[in-house]
């Protein structure tokens, strides 16, 4: 059965308010009173939209809020492709975030419709916690990243607050999952990702890593 969160993501009215109302509020909630997540998020946006000729994949792009920002910074043949399985989210993306270097595609993150080793950067922001079977998606992010390319994840993390009795079960009723501190980091490492950096900001975690380039025989 679909969770409340999954139904919300497929709701046309929700897609309309997501980028400018829901996402900023939700980002703030991740810091619960502080600004750590907002600050990190701003820095991450600047980093992801730095100028460069890159091929970027934004997995579970929603209405394309990050896809467009990333695309805006690209140069040369650079492109950012956003994939999502919600038709209302993609309709909103096409209406409001369709810039020259952005493209949107309906697809399931469990079976990303691109070949191995394709993208310079693969992002998956604010989505893994909504996906019932998220760890195979982490493997997919790594699969489509080219050797030397970067994987960027933002998701939930268990903290003292969310580890209080009943919190995870209550939150889980809506379909929202809270990851243990090591789960995403370990899955990335198990898939071969190196230089894994985890930054915990309040109730959220940003995890960045690099898919290693193959070692050439001497
Ligand atoms: C909260 S939005 C995140 C949007 C954007 N990445 C951001 O950071 O604001 C989560 C998105 O994940 C999408 N999603 C959930 N499960 C998915 C799946 N299995 N495949 C593709 N998209 C999925 C939902 O449709 C929704 O648009």
């Amino acid at each position: 059965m679909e969770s409340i969160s999954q139904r919300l993501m497929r709701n046309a009215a929700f897609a309309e308010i997501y980028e400018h109302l829901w996402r900023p509020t939700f980002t703030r909630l991740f810091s619960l009173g502080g600004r750590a997540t907002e600050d990190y998020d701003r820095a991450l946006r600047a980093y992801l939209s730095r100028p460069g000729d890159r091929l970027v994949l934004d997995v579970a792009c929603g209405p394309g809020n990050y896809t467009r920002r990333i695309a805006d910074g690209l140069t040369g043949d650079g492109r950012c492709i956003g994939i999502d399985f919600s038709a209302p989210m993609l309709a909103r993306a096409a209406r409001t975030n369709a810039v020259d270097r952005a493209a949107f595609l309906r697809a399931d993150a469990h079976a990303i419709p691109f070949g191995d080793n394709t993208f310079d950067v693969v992002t998956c922001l604010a989505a893994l916690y909504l996906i019932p079977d998220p760890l195979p998606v982490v493997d997919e992010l790594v699969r489509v990243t080219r050797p030397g390319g970067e994987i960027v994840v933002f998701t939930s993390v268990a903290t003292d607050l969310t580890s209080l009795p009943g919190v995870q079960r209550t939150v889980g009723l809506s379909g929202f999952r809270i990851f243990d501190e090591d789960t995403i980091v370990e899955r990335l490492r198990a898939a071969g990702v190196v230089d894994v950096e985890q930054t915990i900001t309040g109730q959220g975690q940003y995890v960045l890593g690099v898919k290693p380039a193959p070692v050439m025989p001497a």
Side-chain angles (χ1 to χ4, degrees):
M1 202 181 72
E2 263 199 336
S3 67
I4 297 170
S5 304
Q6 284 172 308
R7 264 180 277 151
L8 208 53
M9 295 301 146
R10 292 179 197 266
N11 180 284
F14 183 71
E16 293 301 309
I17 60 146
Y18 178 82
E19 178 171 355
H20 297 292
L21 195 60
W22 181 269
R23 182 58 151 103
T25 308
F26 206 60
T27 304
R28 217 164 296 139
L29 270 178
F30 265 96
S31 300
L32 282 182
R35 302 189 65 106
T37 306
E38 272 178 290
D39 291 345
Y40 192 101
D41 203 68
R42 195 172 307 114
L44 180 71
R45 286 199 305 263
Y47 174 66
L48 291 174
S49 59
R50 70 195 183 283
D53 183 350
R54 290 181 295 276
L55 188 56
V56 184
L57 181 69
D58 186 19
V59 175
C61 64
N65 39 327
Y66 285 80
T67 321
R68 177 179 53 78
R69 285 197 174 96
I70 295 167
D72 279 344
L74 295 172
T75 57
D77 291 331
R79 293 284 180 278
C80 185
I81 300 171
I83 67 166
D84 201 285
F85 70 5
S86 160
M89 286 289 193
L90 289 174
R92 172 82 189 180
R95 262 203 335 279
T96 57
N97 285 319
V99 293
D100 277 354
R101 293 173 188 277
F104 297 100
L105 184 69
R106 191 164 185 203
D108 186 344
H110 291 96
I112 297 175
F114 292 101
D116 300 355
N117 307 324
T118 300
F119 293 93
D120 299 301
V121 180
V122 177
T123 60
C124 183
L125 306 172
L128 284 178
Y129 45 59
L130 300 172
I131 300 180
D133 186 15
L135 297 183
V137 172
V138 173
D139 298 339
E140 275 292 90
L141 305 179
V142 180
R143 180 185 69 75
V144 297
T145 305
R146 72 158 173 79
E150 194 174 28
I151 297 126
V152 180
V153 169
F154 169 62
T155 191
S156 57
V157 70
T159 61
D160 289 349
L161 180 69
T162 54
S163 300
L164 289 172
V167 172
Q168 298 207 13
R169 211 175 67 81
T170 309
V171 170
L173 291 175
S174 67
F176 185 95
R177 173 180 174 145
I178 298 173
F179 291 96
D180 290 341
E181 196 172 316
D182 295 334
T183 303
I184 301 296
V185 167
E186 279 176 4
R187 190 69 174 212
L188 285 168
R189 289 201 176 120
V193 174
V194 297
D195 298 337
V196 179
E197 274 176 37
Q198 180 188 47
T199 305
I200 295 178
T201 61
Q203 314 305 313
Q205 59 174 322
Y206 291 87
V207 187
L208 279 66
V210 174
K211 181 167 174 175
V215 180
M216 292 303 195

